[in-house]
């Protein structure tokens, strides 16, 4: 008697070897040095953009400080992994980025008034810029620092996920 439908399943299953278990994805341990360097580069670039925008529109924006901090922390974690040092260092770098951005904004504003180059103002008269920043700081300056630091810490945690 013949079958009109072929039998289901593998007729050689009894002799077949079991399928290998899937291998888990490799755990990314990260590279602390790469995370630190990437965080520093991100801080310098983001601080420059922050200062350039603040100088161009003649005011600071809170979400821009948050963006600076988040970017610095996120880059640190993506390049450096889950190292516990990276959120702390990226928060410190983001504070420096916001500070340098504020100085750059002051340099741009003064350069517009004096009709000189903002680069010359920033590089040649850095002590005058820091003195002007120190005299002009207020509560909102502290708020921008806090926003950047918290965002950097959060960005580092988010980037390590």
């Amino acid at each position: 008697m013949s079958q009109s439908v072929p039998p289901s399943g593998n007729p050689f299953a009894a002799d077949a070897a079991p399928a290998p278990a899937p291998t888990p994805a490799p755990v990314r341990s990260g590279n602390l040095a790469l995370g630190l360097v990437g965080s520093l580069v991100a801080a310098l670039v983001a601080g420059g953009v922050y200062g350039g925008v603040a100088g161009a529109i003649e005011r600071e924006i809170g979400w821009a400080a948050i963006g600076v901090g988040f970017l610095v922390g996120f880059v640190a974690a993506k390049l450096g992994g889950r190292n516990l040092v990276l959120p702390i260092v990226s928060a410190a770098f983001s504070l420096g980025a916001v500070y340098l951005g504020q100085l750059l904004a002051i340099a741009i504003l003064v350069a517009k008034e004096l009709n000189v180059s903002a680069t010359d103002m920033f590089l040649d008269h850095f002590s005058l810029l820091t003195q002007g920043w120190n005299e002009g700081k207020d509560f909102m300056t502290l708020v921008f620092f806090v926003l950047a630091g918290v965002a950097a810490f959060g960005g580092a945690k988010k980037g390590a996920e």
Side-chain angles (χ1 to χ4, degrees):
M1 179 182 239
S2 71
Q3 290 180 326
S4 62
V5 178
S8 62
N10 184 355
F12 306 107
D15 298 332
T23 59
V27 176
R28 202 179 88 208
S29 63
N31 183 343
L32 177 63
L34 185 60
L36 291 174
V37 169
S39 179
L40 179 62
V41 169
L44 292 173
V45 170
V49 170
Y50 176 71
V53 169
I57 64 172
E58 299 182 5
R59 69 175 34 113
E60 292 182 82
I61 304 170
W63 59 263
I66 293 170
V68 168
F70 187 83
L71 177 70
V72 172
F74 193 77
V75 167
K78 281 299 181 187
L79 295 178
R82 295 180 176 256
N83 195 307
L84 297 175
V85 172
L86 291 174
I88 296 166
V89 171
S90 63
F93 283 169
S94 69
L95 297 179
V98 169
Y99 174 69
L100 287 176
Q102 290 175 348
L103 290 180
L104 180 60
I106 294 169
I108 291 170
L109 294 174
V110 171
K112 284 180 187 177
E113 289 295 319
L114 300 178
N115 202 20
V116 296
S117 167
T119 306
D120 291 339
M121 259 328 275
F122 191 79
L123 297 176
D124 296 339
H125 303 289
F126 193 79
S127 62
L128 290 175
L129 292 175
T130 56
Q131 182 181 359
W133 177 88
N134 197 26
E135 292 172 2
K137 67 183 175 187
D138 58 359
F139 178 73
M140 287 308 292
T141 303
L142 176 65
V143 169
F144 288 121
F145 283 126
V146 169
L147 289 174
V150 170
F153 200 85
K157 291 296 185 185
K158 185 71 175 172
E161 291 178 355

